[in-house]
Amino acid sequence: MATEHGVFNTCNSTNDVLFFYNLVGKSISSEWTTRDVVVIGLGLTVCVIVVLANLMVMAAIHMNRRFHFPIYYLLGNMAAADLFAGIAYANLMLNTGPWTRMLTKEQWYVRGALIDISLTASVANLLAVAVERHQTIVTMQLHSNMTKRRVLLLIVCIWATAILMGLVPSTFWNCECDLADCSTVAPLYSRRFLIFWAVLNLLTFFVMLAIYTRIFLYVKYQSRHASETRHSQTVVNLMKTIAMVLGAFVICWTPGLVTLLLDGLLGQDSHANSYEKYCLVAAECNSLVNPVIYSLRDGEMRKTFQWILCCPCRRRACRRKEPPALEIDAPPPEGTLGCVPKAEEQALCKAQGNNSWTVAAL
């Protein structure tokens, strides 16, 4: 045992990725199979949809002035985290299967760090949303009085924390100098780090669940005594949307976190490699679910999506004839809604008596 212990605590920086995979018994395909090609093809397709869908959410929040409040800035940052997750999964798809053999340790750590950063950013952002909603609703407000500077500082802190957590395994908390501590799911990661990371995220889930439970009980009580029914209903609808986002996140990510926890506690006895890919697919789907929730739950967001998607059609119609006026219940703002024709197109529309291009940035 002494000799074995000595071997398993030797730090050798020359060990490559394949060495660690062989050490924990995780196989790497040597040839491409039909299954590999289908999985990667579908995975990349989903990643493209994830990126485009979350770009649209971010664009809608930027263009619609009704969304220029702290809660929507945080939801926009959530969309940015989901977009980042789409990029991280695309990178994973392009560096998996037989390609894994060609990765250096640095490239392998980058592949894992991108996934870690996207998860941490999402969790930290959801926690910030929960705290913001608790503060505003308990003080009987629809939106927080937080300044844009403070919101920006909060978003910067969220991403700084996420990047820090992503860098931890590659900098000092890995198993390169303690081979007995290597994970079977992520062979270069320390099992102790996986336990820490999984427990931290699961505890954060429970904290958010406690916050939202208190908020719902408070809203339920206040709604019975509220004099402004419309305001109360707006708060309830917004809370339902956020709760659905949180619920989808917990459902999609909990299996993966539990898998990492079991891997950290049991090692190869957990047999985590037999089902970790399914957990990864579920986690990837979460980045696609949020834009769907926004579009189904928020009528204002849905209108803005329609405006963005139909913008090219309106430009073409403006050249041919007067298009039907677009009515969005918002007062005209300073400026226009991002999707505006060029100067000569505006002049043409004006000459045709079409003023629908100056519709508000809500």
Side-chain angles (χ1 to χ4, degrees):
M1 289 296 293
T3 303
E4 182 180 349
H5 181 76
V7 170
F8 273 71
N9 284 276
T10 301
C11 190
N12 187 349
S13 60
T14 60
N15 293 331
D16 58 9
V17 172
L18 189 59
F19 168 83
F20 289 94
Y21 273 70
N22 290 334
L23 177 69
V24 299
K26 185 171 185 176
S27 61
I28 303 178
S29 304
S30 57
E31 296 180 355
W32 289 103
T33 64
T34 303
R35 177 179 174 275
D36 292 333
V37 174
V38 170
V39 169
I40 291 177
L42 290 175
L44 289 175
T45 302
V46 172
C47 289
V48 171
I49 297 173
V50 165
V51 170
L52 294 178
N54 285 285
L55 272 176
M56 191 160 64
V57 172
M58 295 170 66
I61 292 173
H62 172 71
M63 295 164 62
N64 190 327
R65 294 189 66 180
R66 291 194 177 208
F67 298 146
H68 290 187
F69 294 98
I71 180 62
Y72 286 107
Y73 292 145
L74 292 175
L75 291 178
N77 194 46
M78 173 66 69
D82 288 333
L83 185 151
F84 187 87
I87 296 173
Y89 289 124
N91 179 73
L92 178 63
M93 292 293 116
L94 295 174
N95 291 282
T96 192
W99 285 326
T100 306
R101 295 174 176 271
M102 298 182 290
L103 294 177
T104 64
K105 285 191 295 187
E106 290 74 18
Q107 291 171 328
W108 190 93
Y109 278 127
V110 169
R111 189 185 75 171
L114 293 178
I115 302 294
D116 297 345
I117 291 172
S118 66
L119 172 62
T120 306
S122 296
V123 172
N125 207 83
L126 279 171
L127 182 59
V129 169
V131 173
E132 190 274 349
R133 283 294 85 191
H134 183 272
Q135 176 189 359
T136 55
I137 290 177
V138 169
T139 56
M140 298 297 293
Q141 295 176 318
L142 178 59
H143 295 294
S144 170
N145 292 327
M146 194 185 312
T147 63
K148 289 185 178 180
R149 177 177 294 182
R150 288 186 178 181
V151 175
L152 179 60
L153 180 61
L154 178 59
I155 291 174
V156 169
C157 290
I158 287 172
W159 283 101
T161 302
I163 293 171
L164 177 64
M165 291 299 295
L167 293 177
V168 165
S170 61
T171 52
F172 63 90
W173 206 347
N174 53 57
C175 69
E176 290 190 44
C177 298
D178 188 3
L179 302 182
D181 191 37
C182 289
S183 160
T184 56
V185 171
L188 276 74
Y189 277 18
S190 165
R191 287 166 54 191
R192 286 172 293 175
F193 170 73
L194 292 185
I195 294 173
F196 164 77
W197 198 59
V199 168
L200 180 63
N201 284 287
L202 290 172
L203 285 176
T204 306
F205 287 175
F206 285 117
V207 170
M208 288 188 288
L209 182 61
I211 292 175
Y212 279 111
T213 300
R214 186 178 188 279
I215 291 175
F216 273 119
L217 293 175
Y218 184 84
V219 169
K220 184 177 179 180
Y221 172 79
Q222 289 296 329
S223 62
R224 295 175 180 174
H225 304 84
S227 58
E228 297 183 13
T229 307
R230 184 177 179 182
H231 178 274
S232 177
Q233 188 61 41
T234 301
V235 172
V236 171
N237 288 339
L238 183 57
M239 283 302 306
K240 286 181 179 179
T241 300
I242 296 172
M244 290 177 68
V245 171
L246 174 63
F249 187 85
V250 171
I251 291 171
C252 292
W253 274 102
T254 299
L257 292 175
V258 172
T259 297
L260 294 180
L261 182 60
L262 291 176
D263 180 30
L265 293 172
L266 304 177
Q268 296 186 35
D269 292 336
S270 66
H271 304 290
N273 282 330
S274 60
Y275 48 86
E276 53 109 359
K277 287 183 173 59
Y278 300 105
C279 297
L280 188 61
V281 171
E284 182 180 2
C285 289
N286 177 248
S287 299
L288 186 59
V289 167
N290 288 344
V292 175
I293 294 175
Y294 297 145
S295 62
L296 293 178
R297 289 289 312 167
D298 195 318
E300 195 72 30
M301 185 74 74
R302 189 162 56 248
K303 287 180 183 179
T304 313
F305 286 169
Q306 291 171 351
W307 171 266
I308 294 172
L309 294 174
C310 294
C311 207
C313 300
R314 290 195 184 89
R315 286 179 176 172
R316 288 194 295 269
C318 181
R319 295 190 181 97
R320 295 194 301 269
K321 62 181 180 179
E322 177 180 351
L326 173 67
E327 294 186 4
I328 304 178
D329 35 335
E334 307 165 357
T336 57
L337 180 71
C339 181
V340 181
K342 297 177 182 177
E344 60 272 16
E345 295 171 343
Q346 287 179 316
L348 176 61
C349 289
K350 185 175 181 180
Q352 294 175 335
N354 175 18
N355 61 0
S356 65
W357 293 104
T358 58
V359 173
L362 312 171

